[in-house]
Amino acid sequence: GLLGFQPNLPVVSLFLAFHYIKKYRHETQEQNMAASKNLAQWLAEYSESHRHPQNKALHWLCVPAIFFSIMGLLINLNALLAAVLTLAAAWFYRRLSAALAMAMVLFMAVCWALVWLLPPGYALYWAVFVLAWIGQFIGHRLEGKKPSFFQDIQFLLIGPAWVAVTLFGLKADVR
């Protein structure tokens, strides 16, 4: 071994196993805490970085545009994959609220219909995607706060919920 040191493989393996179990346990606890948030908690946390009137207006426009553009890209890439991800998103929203899930399923159905009505291809969806993200980051610059999804990736699905709750007048605590 190196400099006369012979690593004891079972000891090293045991050490690594305990290290990763501890790390996994900690990550799982954090994920469980995130998963146990209710809709009101998610929206309150999201709203903390969306108080500036111009940032709100940009988000009400850009969040649905981003959602639509992602659906357009996915449907053009692989409609089956898009369908599976649409169902997964609907399930995520249903876990938070039946009323929210209904609103989001309606919005996703409109997105699907628009994509099927528009000519196939990627250019339109990439343009909408890029422009809408520019709008989002301009809004956060005005707000002076980072986007919420930097904290938790699930906020990428909470943004559309925040818009839906506002547009449809849903109550955040509706189950």
Side-chain angles (χ1 to χ4, degrees):
L2 185 62
L3 303 173
F5 174 72
Q6 290 290 330
N8 184 330
L9 193 56
V11 171
V12 170
S13 299
L14 193 58
F15 171 77
L16 289 173
F18 280 120
H19 170 75
Y20 285 107
I21 288 170
K22 183 178 175 185
K23 180 180 176 190
Y24 173 76
R25 204 169 132 223
H26 177 71
E27 289 173 357
T28 303
Q29 287 170 341
E30 286 180 355
Q31 290 169 348
N32 287 341
M33 285 173 45
S36 66
K37 288 182 194 174
N38 64 34
L39 180 58
Q41 291 168 318
W42 277 113
L43 294 175
E45 202 171 324
Y46 188 84
S47 293
E48 288 174 13
S49 59
H50 301 88
R51 297 188 190 282
H52 191 282
Q54 289 172 323
N55 187 28
K56 283 181 171 181
L58 283 166
H59 275 67
W60 289 331
L61 176 69
C62 294
V63 166
I66 290 168
F67 199 99
F68 167 72
S69 68
I70 290 171
M71 289 192 72
L73 291 166
L74 284 170
I75 292 167
N76 276 281
L77 176 69
N78 184 316
L80 179 59
L81 173 63
V84 168
L85 292 174
T86 299
L87 290 173
W91 176 78
F92 175 85
Y93 293 125
R94 176 57 192 101
R95 283 182 41 225
L96 295 174
S97 158
L100 172 65
M102 292 294 291
M104 292 306 299
V105 166
L106 175 65
F107 175 66
M108 290 185 282
V110 169
C111 288
W112 271 87
L114 286 173
V115 171
W116 286 112
L117 291 173
L118 293 168
Y122 297 97
L124 169 69
Y125 304 108
W126 277 117
V128 170
F129 183 82
V130 169
L131 292 173
W133 273 110
I134 289 170
Q136 294 276 78
F137 284 108
I138 289 170
H140 280 286
R141 175 116 175 132
L142 292 169
E143 184 82 44
K145 295 186 178 178
K146 292 182 202 172
S148 301
F149 72 89
F150 285 174
Q151 176 186 337
D152 186 332
I153 195 84
Q154 293 179 84
F155 278 113
L156 290 174
L157 288 172
I158 296 301
W162 180 76
V163 172
V165 165
T166 304
L167 292 179
F168 293 107
L170 301 175
K171 293 185 180 183
D173 59 354
V174 172
R175 287 309 246 145

